Amino acid sequence: MIGMELQNGSLCMLSDETSRSISPENLTGEKGGGARAKIGEGIASDKAAKLGEGWKVNPFVRAEPGQTLVLADIRESGCIRQMWFTPTGDWRSLILRIYWDNSPVPSVECPIGDFFGCGWGKFCQISSLAVCVNPGSGFNCYWPMPFRSRALITIENRDDYPSNIYYQINYSIMETPENAAYFHAQFRRVNPQPYKEVYTIADGITGKGHYVGTALFWGANTNLWWGEGEIKFYLDGDTEYPTICGTGTEDYFGGSYDFMNRETHEYQEFTTPYSGLPQVIRPRGGYESQQRFSMYRWHITDPIHFKEDLRVTIQALGWRTDRGYLPLQDDIASVAFWYQQKPAEHMPPLPDAEYLRIH
């Protein structure tokens, strides 16, 4: 698992893996295939014209409006070790998809900003074991992603404007162990959340696997505290009552008492290896009127195991002025991360571009 290589000593052990990397400078990842773009063919040919081949001739690809680009198509057994992206444009309009072993259904389908913990189209710095977001817009992913015959990674541009995609996908060619599970990520958004209904983070997960993380993006439409809701994990046939039930939103994400700084009486951002509230967007008057929050919780040392099925929900619950509970109708989006025995067989329909757009 992530972050365990030094602890269990595997980082110093020799291996039969072969390292490869796909980027705009080596679109296939082939051995000796990097930096071969010709002047006149690469997207930055004019910048490199006086230097010639090998001098950063093709450092990015461009996704036109409505276009889906294939970023990587690996046709052998292996494991994705790390991915780095820095895309221009509207991050909620760029849809990252990953397909395993010729499955027609993506096991990962998510707007690129949300996948990396930035749910509101604005940069927030994140220092965690699974995801790092670094200045000025460096998205880094360290979830290991094994596959047995093929890994297909695409990005769709749903925006009205082109996007420049800088990226690098580092992977190993290797024999995938029999018990290695497939990585999944499922995005959802509801705006506004219906009154007295629970928000679903993940559903329709079947088979054997383990849940490894939640990214949650909350836009508050009321005053006072918004995070009283309990997260619930329904495992292996649970119906009305869950096996695992938290005590509050900020508790699940590793904080307490409203994420409040006791001296300033304001929300306190934080980012740690396993959990964080890295982003608080505060109203500034005028057109920026809503409080918005980005949170993450990685179950790296405490994955939630299931053998048959899994459903994950969280309540939209805040405070009334009399300190009673208040069901909320907020703007909520999320990404669920898990591993399971087989590639995805279905995903919930992704809302259209206008529904996803952040206003």
Side-chain angles (χ1 to χ4, degrees), residues 137-294:
S137 58
F139 294 158
N140 298 270
C141 168
Y142 298 94
W143 295 112
M145 304 180 190
F147 51 95
R148 289 173 172 80
S149 60
R150 189 182 184 190
L152 175 63
I153 303 174
T154 70
I155 195 162
E156 176 192 0
N157 182 10
R158 293 180 162 190
D159 202 1
D160 298 326
Y161 303 95
S163 173
N164 295 337
I165 313 292
Y166 297 80
Y167 72 98
Q168 189 142 10
I169 298 167
N170 297 317
Y171 65 100
S172 295
I173 301 170
M174 56 178 283
E175 184 175 346
T176 302
E178 184 178 347
N179 64 342
Y182 294 95
F183 178 80
H184 292 69
Q186 182 183 110
F187 172 83
R188 292 174 182 252
R189 186 200 191 186
V190 177
N191 180 30
Q193 175 69 16
Y195 184 67
K196 285 189 176 181
E197 290 189 14
V198 297
Y199 177 81
T200 297
I201 294 173
D203 197 4
I205 300 174
T206 59
K208 185 177 182 179
H210 46 276
Y211 188 88
V212 294
T214 308
L216 186 65
F217 313 104
W218 202 288
N221 291 329
T222 60
N223 293 323
L224 301 181
W225 171 234
W226 46 269
E228 282 301 311
E230 297 177 334
I231 193 167
K232 299 178 180 180
F233 294 86
Y234 297 82
L235 310 176
D236 301 335
D238 288 345
T239 54
E240 184 177 0
Y241 299 106
T243 295
I244 298 173
C245 184
T247 60
T249 303
E250 82 275 44
D251 308 334
Y252 171 70
F253 289 97
S256 68
Y257 293 107
D258 307 359
F259 296 123
M260 184 180 290
N261 183 305
R262 291 303 182 187
E263 294 184 0
T264 65
H265 298 284
E266 294 182 353
Y267 290 106
Q268 177 66 63
E269 297 93 330
F270 68 98
T271 175
T272 73
Y274 302 109
S275 63
L277 176 81
Q279 186 172 51
V280 178
I281 299 175
R282 295 169 171 84
R284 298 181 181 179
Y287 297 115
E288 294 189 356
S289 61
Q290 304 301 112
Q291 283 198 114
R292 290 169 168 169
F293 307 85
S294 294

Side-chain angles (χ1 to χ4, degrees), residues 304-324:
I304 296 173
H305 298 274
F306 55 94
K307 293 180 173 61
E308 299 173 8
D309 56 76
L310 173 69
R311 177 165 57 98
V312 186
T313 68
I314 195 167
Q315 297 163 328
L317 195 63
W319 279 116
R320 298 181 186 275
T321 53
D322 61 1
R323 298 190 65 80

